Amino acid sequence: MPNPNERSDSAAPAILIFDSGVGGLTVFREVIAARADARFIYVADDAGFPYGNQPPDALIERILAVMGEAIDAHHPDLVVIACNTASTLALAELRKRYTVPFVGTVPAIKPACAQSNTKRIAVLGTKATVSLEYTRTLIREFASNCDVDLVGSPKLAGIAELELSGLPVADADIAAEIAPCFVDADGRKTDTVVLACTHYPLLTERFRKLAPWPVDWIDPAPAIARRVADLLRERPAATDKTPPCIVFTSGRVPPAPLAKALKGYGFSL
Ligand code: DGL
């Protein structure tokens, strides 16, 4: 696949967005705002959902297989891994295997520590993401001046999927998942929570309402969109606009409330 900055054609750049489910929509909405002329293909590996509760080795194999098929099928100019679990596990190997540029999603620990006043932050992610060496290394490198609480939630990604499919989840179930993020010790309270799973920004309003005290919730999507725009800066804006398409690896037809939400994001179904 050629480097997108070396291409001279005026076709819209093809951007492949990948997640285990609908969480990547929180990244997609920022990327499409930054590069509205691109042709978007969103691949949701819902047949493998949830990634975050699975053992790493099987998961890496699955991600490499699904990504390999998607790259062969869609020939993207750029791939966004809109999933922290997949990025922290497989980004390095994907970059070794393919020449297409990848933009990953990894826990925003550095900016969270930089902006925290109390120097006590929490990283809220899937069980897999918070337990991986990749995340621990980010903490060692960028959080030496901060106390960091790692909170692995087994349920929140599934809750976000249910909510977007029109199946509301009780406040108490969400409150229980975010409660361990809030620590008040040594006279310092958590003031910043890193949303280290792309599903979670779908629930930010609920989080704000249920939080025991106000905190900043850090969503990495705007930074990812800036990176994508930068990588594609030399591709001229295309004039022919193709609506984004979404592929579910299960082959399912989305239920009516999800279909409505996806149309709201601009997908043609
Ligand atoms: N959206 C994914 C992430 O950012 C994970 C959800 C899942 O458990 O499949 O980590």
Side-chain angles (χ1 to χ4, degrees):
M1 191 49 48
N3 179 329
N5 294 326
E6 288 168 6
R7 288 180 58 159
S8 58
D9 59 291
S10 58
I15 301 179
L16 177 66
I17 308 261
F18 173 72
D19 183 35
S20 59
V22 297
L25 292 172
T26 63
V27 176
F28 165 77
R29 66 189 175 194
E30 296 292 334
V31 177
I32 196 170
R35 197 63 210 240
D37 65 304
R39 183 165 63 82
F40 286 92
I41 308 102
Y42 185 117
V43 174
D45 184 19
D46 63 330
F49 182 87
Y51 277 3
N53 297 346
Q54 295 180 45
D57 288 348
L59 203 46
I60 292 177
E61 246 176 70
R62 178 172 188 97
I63 293 162
L64 294 175
V66 175
M67 285 308 308
E69 273 177 37
I71 289 170
D72 285 351
H74 302 289
H75 304 290
D77 294 294
L78 186 144
V79 179
V80 179
I81 307 291
C83 174
N84 289 257
T85 313
S87 300
T88 47
L89 272 172
L91 194 55
E93 183 57 32
L94 285 165
R95 285 185 170 137
K96 268 190 224 157
R97 290 189 185 195
Y98 301 98
T99 54
V100 61
F102 286 90
V103 177
T105 308
V106 298
I109 289 166
K110 188 179 178 185
C113 282
Q115 73 158 64
S116 169
N117 289 318
T118 61
K119 297 300 171 202
R120 184 179 293 289
I121 71 162
V123 177
L124 179 63
T126 63
K127 280 170 63 185
T129 296
V130 301
S131 63
L132 286 168
E133 187 47 36
Y134 191 109
T135 304
R136 313 258 160 169
T137 303
L138 288 177
I139 292 172
R140 275 195 301 277
E141 284 180 4
F142 300 118
S144 53
N145 64 341
C146 256
D147 285 306
V148 182
D149 292 291
L150 285 169
V151 179
S153 164
K155 293 192 190 150
L156 276 178
I159 290 174
E161 292 276 337
L162 289 173
E163 289 267 336
L164 206 66
S165 290
L167 300 165
V169 175
D171 280 352
D173 293 336
I174 296 176
E177 295 298 298
I178 64 169
C181 293
F182 292 84
V183 177
D184 182 356
D186 307 324
R188 289 182 296 119
K189 285 179 168 182
T190 308
D191 69 354
T192 307
V193 179
V194 176
L195 297 172
C197 169
T198 54
H199 279 73
Y200 301 171
L202 292 170
L203 298 168
T204 308
E205 286 319 307
R206 303 288 291 282
F207 292 168
R208 285 193 214 286
K209 190 179 122 196
L210 297 167
W213 60 79
V215 293
D216 282 328
W217 303 90
I218 307 289
D219 175 3
I224 293 167
R226 284 194 296 277
R227 177 75 185 133
V228 170
D230 191 42
L231 284 171
L232 293 173
R233 68 190 174 281
E234 285 171 25
R235 288 291 294 271
T239 44
D240 53 332
K241 179 86 187 96
T242 323
C245 73
I246 186 160
V247 178
F248 290 94
T249 55
S250 67
R252 74 173 165 151
V253 175
L258 177 57
K260 190 173 166 215
L262 292 172
K263 282 183 188 152
Y265 280 88
F267 288 98
S268 65
L269 297 173

